[in-house]
Every structure is written in structure tokens, then in C-alpha cells.
Amino acid sequence: MSDLDKAIAQLRACRPIPEPQVRELCHRARELLIEEGNVVTVTAPVTICGDIHGQFHDLMELFRVGGDVPDTNYLFMGDFVDRGFYSLESFLLLLCLKVRYPDRMTLIRGNHESRQITTVYGFYDECLRKYGSANVWRYCCDVFDYLALGAIVLGASNTLSPPSDMDNMEIEVCDQNGGLISRFPRRHRNQQGDSSGSHTLGSNSSEDKTGPPGSGASGDSGGSVGNPAGAVLCVHGGLSPLVDTVDRIRLIDRKQEVPHEGAMCDLLWSDPDDIDGWGLSPRGAGFLFGADIVRVFNHRNDLSLIARAHQLVMEGFKEMFDASIVTVWSAPNYCYRCGNVAAVMELSEDESGWGAFSRSNGDVGRSAGVMAGLEGDGVAAKSGPARRYRVFQAAPQDSRGMPAKKPVADYFL
């Protein structure tokens, strides 16, 4: 058993590892993360998770429901620390799993992975209490600066896997024991010249011919064949008026403390809302954005769905704007008092062979890509991937140890 495996076993028992091991772990994690771009490419199948907020025993419940690492490919969308009693054990365990299984664990940055925020909402005090100094907090904050700002999921399937006993199901909701709660059939988009709204793989329609996400390449002049389910963009918060393509995110200098404004701040702080265009956020950072913003961004970047976290959802997940954006929340009974359930979102692998993206062949005729599947504002809507949500409740009380001191839990942003 390697030292890393011993550290994982110790953290799984909710016991902190020695400070020298934390320093070495954070150093190895930084070496790994610095090789990743601002937007990590993840291939389905993948289980997408929202905020954890230091609720260690609920993280263990998440692994029980979703499958353990490395058997399951995980993507966590930030906010690993603050609020809960065990931010340290939660984040260090995820970091150990990232270093041990780098291809099976993707971690992106949340607004709480910040020096300023963690000094106010619990993580700094927890490190001080458990180690007697702020050294471990500094090591972890250095890792925060190297976390990616987003992820693109490619190769997701249009059909649920394992197959549903009913055809054409787009969404399944399951409980923590795998029992079926509800199903939702796929809604066909009306397409020009096709009243059924169906879409045939391998056809010559302009919607099929598209470049990789973020390239803006589409059209019928030799563009490459794209994933029929479209790509999924994962960010912690939301969109920014300064970011119109995924490639813009790739150009940000992310290796810094989260700024108070600008594109990086917006990606970690913004929220969708029932408004038109952009609005001021009550959080004091980031923006509110409406369905029209999401629709244009998804079309421009060949996305079918944006997955994000950042907001408490009592039902564990919430799809908005005709299923073009979804909020996933993975901290049940948030702050040990909110009474909400949590969820993870599973995207299965496209086994048809159409899930790979290749580079676009040319610029001619890109504008023709808007001909199929037009919505009211003239922007094409892409059919989303099949999704399975696993909803779970907080871990049983008798599985928890009581901490020495309660953290600050006064705000509910």
C-alpha cells in the first residue's frame, strides 16, 4: 500500500493527515493541475456533482449512491469547503483521489475556493483548530489557484444507460437506493422540413456538421461531424458578459486569487434568473442572466446544456430555460438545517461512434448552421443528452461525529 493509499484510507475514516503529508499532497496536486487548461475536456460516462461544503459524511453518501472512485468518473463543480464541519477532510480526500486517479476525478473551482471567502466562512478557522497554524490553509489555497474554471463533457449519449424499459426517455430521477422516482420523455424540437422533429444520425443536415465546442465552426461546407447529443459545459456559477465563447475562458489567467470583478469572477459567482439579458446580482459579485443569454451562448459554442452548482436547490437539481441549463446541488440538509435533498447527474457514454469531435475543415458556409431547429429568436436549439439524476438524503445522524466547534453558517447565497 502506497503512502497515498494510506492517506486516502485515513481521510475516509474522517481523520486528518499530518501536515508534512498535506504539503506533499498539495505540491503533487499543483503539478498535476498546472498541466490542465482552464477548461478541462471530460469524456462521458461521467457523474457531475455540485457543492459539497465540507459535509464529509454526506460526501461518503454521495460515493455510495454514485459509485466509488475509480469505478465511477466524477466531475465536481467546486465549493468543496466552508460551512460544514469537515471541509479539511472533504477537500483533502478529493485531492488525494485526484492525484491517485487523475483521469477519473475532475475538480473545478468554486467561489469558496478563495482566500478571502474561506477566512470568513469556516475553512481557515478549521485548519487553525486542527493543526494549530495556518500552514495547511495556505497549502490548500495555493491549490485553489490552479483549479480549472470549467469543463466540457463530450461523448454523452442521447439514450439512458443502462437502457430504460421505455423508449425515448430523456430524464430519469432515481432515489439513493436506485429506485425509480420519475421519468420524462424526450421533447422533439420542430425542424424545418421535418414535422416530427426527429434527427437522423449521419444525415447531411447542416446541424450535424460542426466543429469542436468553442470554435464557433458550423455549416454545410465540410465541417466535421459533431456529437448528436451536443457538448455539456460545466462551470460553478454561470456566464459572463465578457465571455461569448468557451475559447475566451481558455484565455483567462486563472492562477490567482478570485478577483472581485471580470470574467473569472463572473464564471464563479453568476446565476440564471427569469429575466431578459443581464442583470445585477444581489450577491454583490457576478451577474444574473436570462434564457436568451443561455440560448445564444449554447448555440454559438455548440452546447446542448450548461451544468452549474452555486445555488441551493431543495429538490437537489433544477432545470431551467427549456432544459438548456441545470443547477446540481450535492450537499443534503445544507448547513445541517435546511432540510433539502441532494443530487448528482449521470451522463452515459454514446456508444454509436458519433460522439467524437474532429476539427472543422473550413470557414465557408458557417452561417448555414442556423437553418435547423430554429427557436423563436432565430437561434437553433440542440437536443440535450439523456440524464439520470440520483437524489439522496443526508447521511444518518449516528454516522456522524460531533466537531469541537460549529462553523459560521449565517448566509445562504
Side-chain angles (χ1 to χ4, degrees), residues 256-295:
Q256 59 174 315
E257 172 72 346
V258 180
H260 294 288
E261 58 185 10
M264 179 172 166
C265 171
D266 298 343
L267 293 168
L268 273 54
W269 280 92
S270 293
D271 299 295
D273 199 7
D274 291 320
I275 61 172
D276 292 327
W278 298 96
L280 292 175
S281 172
R283 296 179 186 268
F287 289 88
L288 301 178
F289 56 93
D292 52 339
I293 301 296
V294 175
R295 196 155 48 236

Side-chain angles (χ1 to χ4, degrees), residues 8 47 57 133 247 334 356 364:
I8 290 172
T47 297
H57 298 90
S133 77
D247 279 344
Y334 181 41
V364 183

Side-chain angles (χ1 to χ4, degrees), residues 54-299:
Q55 297 182 198
F56 176 85
H57 298 90
D58 298 322
L59 176 61
M60 294 297 99
E61 182 71 3
L62 184 155
F63 284 141
R64 186 190 72 78
V65 170
D68 216 338
V69 184
D71 300 327
T72 302
N73 184 19
Y74 279 103
L75 195 167
F76 285 86
M77 296 188 291
D79 277 13
F80 314 108
V81 299
D82 287 339
R83 313 287 194 184
F85 296 145
Y86 304 100
S87 293
L88 193 67
E89 293 85 352
S90 300
F91 180 63
L92 292 180
L93 176 58
L94 291 174
L95 213 54
C96 278
L97 293 171
K98 171 65 179 177
V99 173
R100 180 69 177 84
Y101 308 105
D103 296 331
R104 306 295 285 172
M105 179 70 69
T106 302
L107 307 176
I108 66 177
R109 192 171 189 173
N111 64 305
H112 276 259
E113 277 68 67
S114 150
R115 291 165 183 81
Q116 184 173 356
I117 297 294
T118 52
T119 53
V120 176
Y121 294 107
F123 184 51
Y124 175 83
D125 291 335
E126 183 182 330
C127 292
L128 215 57
R129 191 167 65 248
K130 291 178 178 176
Y131 287 95
S133 77
N135 291 341
V136 166
W137 173 77
R138 291 191 189 96
Y139 302 148
C140 292
C141 288
D142 288 342
V143 175
F144 294 163
D145 290 345
Y146 287 83
L147 291 171
L149 302 179
I152 286 278
V153 179
L154 300 180
S157 176
N158 265 324
T159 57
L160 292 166
S161 178
S164 170
D165 56 3
M166 298 175 65
D167 292 335
N168 208 28
M169 287 293 120
E170 182 175 20
I171 301 171
E172 277 190 358
V173 183
C174 301
D175 63 21
Q176 57 203 54
N177 298 314
L180 185 67
I181 297 175
S182 55
R183 284 193 179 106
F184 300 91
R186 183 171 295 282
R187 292 168 295 172
H188 291 298
R189 317 267 190 176
N190 289 327
Q191 293 182 358
Q192 194 175 40
D194 182 0
S195 59
S196 69
S198 62
H199 189 62
T200 306
L201 293 181
S203 71
N204 291 323
S205 81
S206 57
E207 190 182 16
D208 265 352
K209 300 196 172 183
T210 169
S215 70
S218 60
D220 56 4
S221 62
S224 55
V225 176
N227 184 351
V232 179
L233 173 66
C234 301
V235 293
H236 176 72
L239 301 178
S240 169
L242 301 173
V243 174
D244 57 353
T245 66
V246 175
D247 279 344
R248 290 285 181 94
I249 303 175
R250 295 185 171 105
L251 296 175
I252 296 171
D253 177 16
R254 78 174 191 270
K255 298 176 185 70
Q256 59 174 315
E257 172 72 346
V258 180
H260 294 288
E261 58 185 10
M264 179 172 166
C265 171
D266 298 343
L267 293 168
L268 273 54
W269 280 92
S270 293
D271 299 295
D273 199 7
D274 291 320
I275 61 172
D276 292 327
W278 298 96
L280 292 175
S281 172
R283 296 179 186 268
F287 289 88
L288 301 178
F289 56 93
D292 52 339
I293 301 296
V294 175
R295 196 155 48 236
V296 169
F297 186 88
N298 284 2
H299 167 68

